[in-house]
């Protein structure tokens, strides 16, 4: 069976029935070392069976947002960056963001010390001991699991999956939108993740038929108590995907604190904001969550707008990444000898789709040659490509790469402009210097 047919079958088997109803909100999160937040794990565990099973859905008009997490110790930026490769460039300090560019991401698996950093708030200094995960909402049985219970109760799986900020490559847009100034090829990575399948956890809780979305709640907090908590929700169908995890390891080691220790959501192939870090709560909802990180940010126009226009009223939430490829070798400005052969290498990915082909051009797109693709790995892992190229004459040589996905979508020359600068997937260009033999 082909990879595409296998993926289509998985989607059919794992799709969940959708319903249009109102939403509710999560009412508690847990803090570090067992500290109780607004509604802590201790209080939750003492709820009676009657309270747990009683109707708890409120309407959008009367529900209230979750309280912000309690403030606690934070990991200083200097400590975070001390554990990173020197090729990582800090883009902003508050919140902390940093990235490595394509030529530093040529590994088959992204090294932990080169995975991009994207904080929305501060980096909480959490501990595994006493950390709990609460699962509630439209479930038959509320769960409050300690970190150790989670690891012992559910089978551990390891998947390699793309993690990419929605604003990756933002500085390539013209005019430049506001937001983190991600490098043209920065803000993504593809490590290996180990954890429990979210669907196994949800099945243990028993998802009710009214369920539509699943929300994740993080334990991070801002410098000011008024900073909104980081909450995102995803459709139930994506939550039930076999590759969506509650992860506790990255590349075989505990997830670093800046990347979500001790637990984080992993929603591969989608914008990174869906993969909430420092995970303390999961709530099954009857509609998408309403909040800052769902309604005010991480949205794009429902229909294209002219470059420079303001955000229109009709918008949609950012979800799966479109088809994209980057050249990881040679590096920009590399020197090669005229008449010699060198290899163009890179990575390609396509959100919910698979990569069908990658093409390379060395004549500004007049002609294209098909690159060799490495064997496909996990469903949401990037695909490596390569093509031997000969530098015919001295001068400056520009290399272009474009990918096509399994649905026929071709990487554009320039991405569709949008006010928040999301989903840059324009054709990547790398220039090299060809010297005389």
């Amino acid at each position: 069976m082909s990879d595409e047919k296998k993926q289509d079958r998985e989607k059919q088997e794992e799709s969940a029935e959708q319903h249009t109803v109102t939403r509710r909100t999560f009412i508690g999160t847990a803090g570090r070392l067992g500290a109780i937040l607004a509604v802590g794990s201790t209080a939750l565990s003492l709820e009676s069976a009657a309270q747990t099973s009683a109707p708890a859905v409120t309407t959008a008009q009367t529900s209230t947002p979750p309280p912000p997490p309690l403030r606690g110790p934070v990991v200083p930026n200097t400590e975070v960056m001390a554990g990173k490769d020197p090729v990582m460039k800090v883009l902003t300090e508050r919140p902390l963001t940093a990235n490595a560019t394509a030529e530093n991401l040529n590994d088959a698996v992204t090294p932990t010390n080169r995975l991009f950093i994207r904080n929305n708030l501060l980096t909480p200094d959490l501990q595994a001991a006493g950390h709990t995960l609460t699962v509630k909402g439209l479930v038959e049985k509320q769960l409050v699991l300690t970190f150790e219970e989670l690891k012992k109760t559910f089978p551990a799986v390891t998947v390699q999956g793309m993690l990419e900020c929605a604003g990756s490559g933002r500085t390539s847009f013209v005019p430049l939108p506001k937001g983190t100034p991600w490098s043209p090829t920065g803000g993504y990575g593809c490590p290996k993740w180990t954890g429990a399948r979210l669907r196994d956890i949800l099945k243990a809780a028993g998802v009710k038929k009214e369920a539509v979305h699943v929300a994740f709640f993080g334990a991070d907090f801002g410098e000011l108590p008024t900073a909104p908590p980081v909450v995102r929700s995803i459709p139930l169908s994506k939550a039930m995907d076999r590759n969506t995890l509650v992860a506790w390891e990255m590349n075989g080691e505990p997830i670093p604190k800046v990347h979500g220790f001790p637990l984080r959501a992993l929603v591969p192939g989608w914008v990174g904001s869906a993969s909430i870090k420092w995970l303390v709560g999961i709530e099954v909802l009857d509609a998408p969550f309403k909040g800052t990180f769902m309604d005010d940010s991480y949205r794009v126009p429902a229909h294209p707008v002219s470059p420079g226009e303001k955000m229109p009223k009709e918008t949609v939430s950012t979800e799966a990444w479109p088809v994209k490829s980057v050249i990881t070798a040679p590096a920009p400005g590399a020197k090669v000898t005229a008449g010699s052969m060198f290899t163009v290498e890179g990575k390609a990915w396509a959100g919910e789709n698979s990569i069908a082909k990658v093409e390379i051009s060395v004549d500004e797109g007049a002609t294209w040659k098909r690159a060799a693709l490495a064997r496909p790995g996990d469903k949401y892992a990037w695909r490596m490509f390569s093509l031997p190229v000969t530098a015919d004459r001295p001068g400056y040589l520009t290399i272009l790469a474009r990918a096509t996905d399994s649905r026929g979508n071709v990487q554009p020359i320039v991405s569709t402009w949008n006010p928040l600068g999301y989903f840059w997937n324009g054709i990547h260009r790398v220039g090299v210097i060809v010297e005389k033999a």
Side-chain angles (χ1 to χ4, degrees), residues 116 118 162-168 187 216 232-234 238 264-276 293-294 297-300 317-322 351-352 422-424:
F116 75 96
R118 184 14 173 151
M162 284 299 301
L163 189 67
E164 182 170 17
C165 180
S168 172
F216 302 116
R232 289 274 288 170
S233 69
I234 61 174
K238 184 62 175 176
R264 71 170 296 160
L266 190 279
V267 186
W270 282 34
V271 295
S273 60
S275 296
I276 294 294
F293 296 95
M294 287 291 288
S297 59
Y298 299 112
R299 300 192 72 83
V300 294
S317 182
T318 53
E319 294 184 347
W321 259 90
E352 288 293 336
Y422 294 144
F423 289 146
W424 173 265

Side-chain angles (χ1 to χ4, degrees), residues 147-384:
F147 177 69
E148 291 302 325
E149 286 173 339
L150 182 70
K151 294 176 67 176
K152 291 179 180 178
T153 303
F154 301 97
V157 296
T158 298
V159 301
Q160 185 181 9
M162 284 299 301
L163 189 67
E164 182 170 17
C165 180
S168 172
R170 178 179 282 124
T171 53
S172 295
F173 282 105
V174 178
L176 179 64
K178 293 181 180 180
T180 301
W182 293 112
S183 303
T185 61
Y188 61 85
C190 196
K192 288 186 177 181
W193 309 90
T194 299
R197 288 192 170 103
L198 176 58
R199 71 179 186 182
D200 289 346
I201 298 172
L202 294 177
K203 287 178 180 179
V207 177
K208 295 184 177 181
K209 65 179 182 179
E210 298 87 0
V212 171
H213 258 234
V214 177
F216 302 116
F217 297 77
D220 48 337
F221 51 87
E223 293 186 45
L224 300 176
T226 53
V230 181
V231 184
R232 289 274 288 170
S233 69
I234 61 174
L236 181 60
S237 57
K238 184 62 175 176
M240 300 300 281
D241 186 294
R242 61 186 288 111
N243 297 281
T244 301
L245 306 182
V246 171
W248 53 74
E249 285 186 1
M250 182 195 303
N251 293 335
E253 299 289 341
I255 293 175
K257 291 189 176 182
V258 73
H259 293 300
F261 179 85
L263 294 174
R264 71 170 296 160
L266 190 279
V267 186
W270 282 34
V271 295
S273 60
S275 296
I276 294 294
K277 298 186 284 187
W278 310 293
L279 188 64
V280 291
I282 295 172
E283 185 168 15
V284 181
L285 307 170
D286 53 10
F289 182 81
K290 291 290 185 181
T292 298
F293 296 95
M294 287 291 288
D295 302 312
D296 298 331
S297 59
Y298 299 112
R299 300 192 72 83
V300 294
H303 308 287
V305 298
S306 299
E309 279 192 29
K310 293 182 178 181
M311 186 71 78
K313 291 184 178 180
E314 291 186 60
T315 62
V316 294
S317 182
T318 53
E319 294 184 347
W321 259 90
V323 61
K324 184 173 181 176
S325 69
V326 295
I327 298 168
T328 56
K335 295 180 179 180
V336 298
T337 304
S340 67
M341 181 177 288
F342 62 95
T343 302
V344 176
E345 298 177 297
K347 310 290 195 303
W349 57 95
E352 288 293 336
N353 303 322
S354 59
I355 293 297
K357 65 179 178 179
V358 175
E359 298 166 292
I360 304 296
S361 175
V362 292
D363 55 10
E364 291 293 346
T367 61
W368 295 86
K369 291 184 178 180
R370 194 159 179 165
L373 290 174
R375 293 182 61 182
D378 291 339
K379 180 178 178 180
Y380 294 102
W382 56 23
R383 194 94 176 262
M384 295 184 291

